[in-house]
Amino acid sequence: MALFKRRTAGQAGEWYYCLKHGTVEEGPECRAADRLGPYETRDAAAHAMDTAREREEAWREDPRWNDDGAADR
């Protein structure tokens, strides 16, 4: 028997997108390594993968993070 119960971080009223189950959850249900968030609304959490994809594309195109142009600085 464990002395301490492992608890997830977060609070009710915060919305998360669970990567493991592909679902939106309110409050911390799944472990932190398996979720994105917190988001302010359920709808924002539902579009978490789209948001992540858009941010990744923006970072990929940002010259400050592009290793291909490092010699041009």
Side-chain angles (χ1 to χ4, degrees), residues 7-58:
R7 294 174 40 152
T8 55
Q11 301 174 7
E14 295 178 331
W15 295 92
Y16 297 88
Y17 180 80
C18 176
L19 298 166
K20 184 176 181 181
H21 300 110
T23 58
V24 173
E25 53 188 46
E26 183 178 12
E29 292 180 23
C30 292
R31 65 189 199 115
D34 292 334
R35 67 179 190 250
L36 298 175
Y39 294 93
E40 293 183 9
T41 64
R42 180 179 183 82
D43 188 54
H47 293 95
M49 294 303 293
D50 295 329
T51 302
R53 197 174 299 110
E54 291 168 5
R55 289 177 180 170
E56 182 180 346
E57 185 63 30

